Amino acid sequence: MAETTVVHLLRHGEVHNPHGILYGRLPGYHLSETGQQMAEMVAKAVAGRDIVALYSSPLERARETAAPLATALGLTVAPDERLVEAGNLLEGRTVGAGLGILRSPRNYRYFYNPWKPSWGEPYLEIVARMRAVVEEARTAARGHEVVLVSHQLPIWAIRLAAEGRRLWHDPRRRQCALASLTSLTFDRDRLVSVGYSEPAGSLAKGPRLPGA
């Protein structure tokens, strides 16, 4: 008899960031008005699902995205450091259009190994912590559904690993929009599918900074 468990990885909504800063793990970055609307849209989209637990990265933008879901689902948000944004040595710097931050000469010393990557937390370490929290959440919610609110790169890295793809990639090609859901479906202990949806896609304004 099948026992289906779904782990939804929710990326936070749009952040108020008028100066185009690569904010990474820096404190003080909150959802914009649009980001708050995104979180509300996701909450409405999942309100009728069999979600029994809700975890979140400790960063403000993630907790603010989780809050409407907690209200809609009648759940308490469990903060988990393993869902935090990827570490990045370039955080606090202004990001240009596209991958403009890569073209600044003062940043060249960070880019000697894009496969690791040398400018931030290694992909393998991101996957290890994300896999651990996914497995813990899956076990706790066995036979039901659970939502983990995290960030673009951690979500994309665990998806690549789940699909057996290489971890090195072009950040511009990540399928992980703001307030999107990447859904891992398990039959007992076996991953059977990876789904993707954008419940707040109508509020998207175009390309966003990678790694946010």
Side-chain angles (χ1 to χ4, degrees), residues 18-180:
H19 302 297
I21 301 299
L22 181 62
Y23 39 79
R25 296 178 177 177
L26 296 175
Y29 285 88
H30 299 269
L31 293 184
S32 65
E33 182 177 342
T34 298
Q36 294 168 5
Q37 293 172 357
M38 287 178 165
E40 294 286 351
M41 288 184 71
V42 176
K44 291 178 182 178
V46 304
R49 301 192 67 94
D50 183 27
I51 296 169
V52 297
L54 177 60
Y55 297 69
S56 175
S57 156
L59 295 176
E60 292 100 324
R61 58 192 184 273
R63 290 189 282 109
E64 291 167 4
T65 300
L69 277 77
T71 299
L73 297 166
L75 297 172
T76 299
V77 181
D80 197 305
E81 290 283 350
R82 294 170 294 184
L83 294 168
V84 75
E85 175 63 286
N88 195 314
L89 296 173
L90 299 170
E91 70 180 22
R93 303 193 185 199
T94 302
V95 180
L99 294 180
I101 198 167
L102 303 180
R103 293 191 287 271
S104 173
R106 70 174 181 151
N107 296 331
Y108 288 170
R109 61 194 174 103
Y110 297 114
F111 305 139
Y112 60 87
N113 183 358
W115 291 273
K116 186 178 179 180
S118 50
W119 56 85
E121 183 180 8
Y123 294 132
L124 289 175
E125 293 182 12
I126 297 172
V127 169
R129 62 177 169 87
M130 289 294 289
R131 180 176 285 135
V133 70
V134 165
E135 287 301 303
E136 181 179 306
R138 180 179 66 83
T139 299
R142 186 176 289 273
H144 303 279
E145 301 182 32
V146 58
V147 174
L148 312 181
V149 186
S150 188
H151 307 265
Q152 188 188 67
L153 178 52
I155 294 173
W156 185 242
I158 192 61
R159 176 176 173 178
L160 291 176
E163 294 178 336
R165 292 195 274 166
R166 71 182 186 190
L167 300 181
W168 178 83
H169 63 279
D170 182 340
R172 295 168 297 184
R173 300 179 68 86
R174 295 173 187 162
Q175 186 185 40
C176 189
L178 291 165
S180 63

